[in-house]
Amino acid sequence: YPSTSDKMRVIKWLIKHHASYPEAAHHFHIRHPTIIWSWYQGYLISGEKSLMSRKEYSKMKTTPKTDAEKLKQVEKENELLRAENAYLKKLDALIQKESKTVKKRK
């Protein structure tokens, strides 16, 4: 079973490379792209904790976090949000460019 860090690595790669789920599945040798879709949707809704196994999650709940660990986690989340934001901006620009191209053709 992939660890939380493995799942995060896949999600970061997916965002960074603006890849599709099948491309990411092929790159990481994962049989079904829907697995990555599920990880990514869970991550968008609940963050990194959604990628944890029950065992990891219960261990996290019992371990108090230091300020340094909290800061590191916030920085990670910030990095991922920036990557997602950049991806969405590029996607919006492509959609607008495509709509202009379609209008010119008419």
Side-chain angles (χ1 to χ4, degrees), residues 13-50:
W13 186 91
L14 179 78
I15 293 169
K16 180 180 178 182
H17 292 90
H18 311 292
S20 66
Y21 300 116
E23 289 170 332
H26 177 73
H27 181 79
F28 289 97
H29 307 290
I30 296 172
R31 280 191 180 179
H32 302 287
T34 54
I35 292 171
I36 298 171
W37 176 87
S38 174
W39 294 344
Y40 186 64
Q41 295 304 311
Y43 172 77
L44 290 177
I45 294 168
S46 304
E48 193 172 338
K49 68 181 178 183
S50 70

Side-chain angles (χ1 to χ4, degrees), residues 45-60:
I45 294 168
S46 304
E48 193 172 338
K49 68 181 178 183
S50 70
L51 304 175
M52 294 180 182
S53 67
R54 288 181 184 169
K55 188 176 182 180
E56 287 175 315
Y57 187 73
S58 64
K59 185 178 178 183
M60 181 193 79

Side-chain angles (χ1 to χ4, degrees), residues 14-16 18 21 40-41 44 80-96:
L14 179 78
I15 293 169
K16 180 180 178 182
H18 311 292
Y21 300 116
Y40 186 64
Q41 295 304 311
L44 290 177
L80 285 169
L81 288 170
R82 282 187 177 137
E84 182 182 357
N85 191 28
Y87 173 78
L88 292 172
K89 283 181 179 180
K90 286 183 180 182
L91 180 62
D92 186 48
L94 287 173
I95 290 169
Q96 288 180 9

